Structures are given as structure tokens and as C-alpha cells.
Amino acid sequence: MARKNLLEGLADMPDESAGAPNYPMRGAGRSLVRSLDELAKQAEKFLEGEAVVDLDPDVVEVSFVKDRLSEDDEEFRALVEAIRARGQDTPILVRPHGKIDGRYQVVFGHRRLRAARELGRNVRAVVKAIDDRTHVIAQGQENSARADLTFIERALFASRLEELGYDREVISTALAANAASISKMISVMDRISPAVVQAIGPAPGIGRERWVELSLLAGKSANAADIAKILEDDDFLGLPSDRRFEALYAALNKSARPVKKTQAAAGKVKWQPRDNAVQAEMKNDGKAFSLSMKARNAGRFGEFLSSRLDALYEQFLAEESNQGD
């Protein structure tokens, strides 16, 4: 059984023989789930000795707290095809439904459940009776161990847990994040309405600081009318998630200045965008070209450019070819 994609961590497993779960971790999860390897080891302990059963997907309900904004992306389609080809390698974790006999609730493994339902086959599952608190920690840490939730999905999960009455220590343990990170997640969700987050989507290419910047803009009452108008725009809704974020940010950032591009000296060009978050200097002597950047977004923008060099070069070649025709 490939365990790495399973729970990969309940911080300290409850002793069921003693009754109520016991969580000895203190201080935001006591170094907050020391590593992903440790999460995986804890998962193995949690599943150790548990039987794997086949369940009809129709008797399994989703978790009482949602943790994803995107349900049908490329990764899910790939998962469906993988299960179609070789079956379900790893079981999901479910618990008995608290009110209806013969029914269950997913703790983690929602995508595998949906894939099994789509393929018309049973889902392989481990059934374990756990309480709500253990459930949310398991669900959050499973996603933290796989590190496939985006920042805003993690922030939304944290906000929902707080709304359900869980304290910051439980939320920190569930998300394997320190108190400062949880505070920043909650503050972003306090300023941006769930409707706006839902409209933008998971935005996999957008990190924490960009979301903080957008939340400061979205939290201004003077921007409410503009936000409502943008969210109703069909062109906006047709954009990929990352570009929806950028479009809303650009529309709300009214203090931004026009893009600057100035000639500094022979062979040198300086550039900075309207928000001044990047300052770039380019040097071109005909034989060599160099680009250096600094300021707040320089690192992230540099990574953005680096990840797209292949596509940009192909575009360059295509345009060169067109010019030669």
C-alpha cells in the first residue's frame, strides 16, 4: 500500500481505549508537525492494523468542512485515468455517519471518492470512528503533507474551522502552520468575502503576499461596487484562475502608476511596473544580454519568468519566423 498519499499525519493519535481523544501537543502543535516524513509515519500508525473495505460511493458523504475551491482540474482528470488504468492504489479514510446507519463521511480522500463514483466502481476505504476534532486535524494534515492546496484554499479552510469554533491551536495543527501564518490566513479571509474567493478560484500561481495585498484592496468599502461589477463580467469569469486574480488586483489598484521604461545609458534599460514592486535593469551589448531585478516582487517575478522560458522562446521563434515570411 502506498501510504505517502494517505493521511500522512495526525499529530498525536488518540488512544481509543481511554475514551476521548488525547492530544498531548501544545504550543501550536509543538513545532507544528515536525516534518512531512513524520506526518507520513503518523499516518502509518493511524492506519496500522485497520482493514480496507470496499464501499459503494453512494453511501459516503463529503466532509463537513470543505477544503478545495477547484473540483475538476487537470490533476483530478489524471487521477481518474490512473484509477481507471490500474485501480485505486491507496484507500480513503472515512468515519461512520453520526446519525444514519450504514452511511459514512469522508475524512480525507475526496478526489478518490469522486473518481470511483465517476468510474462506477466501489471505493477502497479504511473505516475508523473518530470525533470532529480528530477529523479536521486529519483532513488538514493530509493536505498539508501532500502540499497540494494553494494558499487561499488553506486560508479558506482555516477560516471555516474558526467559524466552526475550533481554536487556533487546532487550526495550526491541522494545517501544519505556525500561529503567525494562521493569523495572516484568517486576516486575509476577514477582508475578502468568500464570494470573491470563490469567483477567483484556487489561483495556484498566487502566493501569500499577493493575497495579502489584494485583501487590503478588497477590504476597502470604496471598492465594493467595483468588485461587484468585475465579478459579473463574463470576460473576467472566462479567465484562468491566476489571471482572474491579476485582473481584479489591477482593477482595484487605482493608485498604480503607468509602467515605466527608461533608457539609463548606452546599452542599458531600466524598467519598473506601475506598482513599483519590481525594479529591473537590462543590459544588452549585442553579444550578451543580462537582466537583474530587485524590490518586493523581484524573486517571485523572476521565478515566474524562469518557469516560462521554454514557452517564451518558442513564441520568440514563431514571431521571428513570421517576420521572415
Side-chain angles (χ1 to χ4, degrees), residues 100-259:
I100 306 175
D101 289 340
R103 294 190 68 83
Y104 304 87
Q105 186 176 68
V106 177
V107 177
F108 64 80
H110 287 82
R111 290 190 166 190
R112 278 163 280 171
L113 173 65
R114 288 183 56 237
R117 183 176 288 126
E118 181 173 316
L119 293 169
R121 60 178 68 179
N122 287 342
V123 62
R124 300 177 67 242
V126 167
V127 180
K128 196 170 184 71
I130 58 177
D131 63 11
D132 287 355
R133 187 171 186 265
T134 310
H135 178 132
V136 298
I137 290 175
Q139 182 178 343
Q141 288 189 352
E142 190 264 346
N143 283 315
S144 295
R146 287 186 290 112
D148 66 345
L149 287 187
T150 66
F151 168 78
I152 198 61
E153 286 177 316
R154 287 165 57 81
L156 188 59
F157 186 65
S159 178
R160 285 170 172 162
L161 291 185
E162 186 162 78
E163 289 173 0
L164 289 169
Y166 293 98
D167 60 36
R168 292 292 176 92
E169 183 173 347
V170 169
I171 299 171
S172 293
T173 303
L175 287 169
N178 60 32
S181 294
I182 296 299
S183 179
K184 188 159 288 190
M185 292 178 194
I186 299 294
S187 67
V188 166
M189 292 305 305
D190 284 343
R191 290 189 291 260
I192 302 181
S193 73
V196 173
V197 171
Q198 193 70 43
I200 293 174
I206 307 299
R208 181 183 68 183
E209 296 309 315
R210 297 297 311 284
W211 274 104
V212 170
E213 292 170 8
L214 179 64
S215 74
L216 294 172
L217 295 169
K220 295 179 179 179
S221 58
N223 285 332
D226 288 338
I227 292 173
K229 183 178 180 180
I230 292 166
L231 297 191
E232 294 173 357
D233 189 322
D234 289 340
D235 290 338
F236 170 83
L237 297 175
L239 295 171
S241 183
D242 282 354
R243 290 184 61 191
R244 289 198 295 271
F245 176 96
E246 299 290 0
L248 182 59
Y249 180 87
L252 298 182
N253 194 17
K254 298 173 182 177
S255 63
R257 298 201 298 254
V259 173

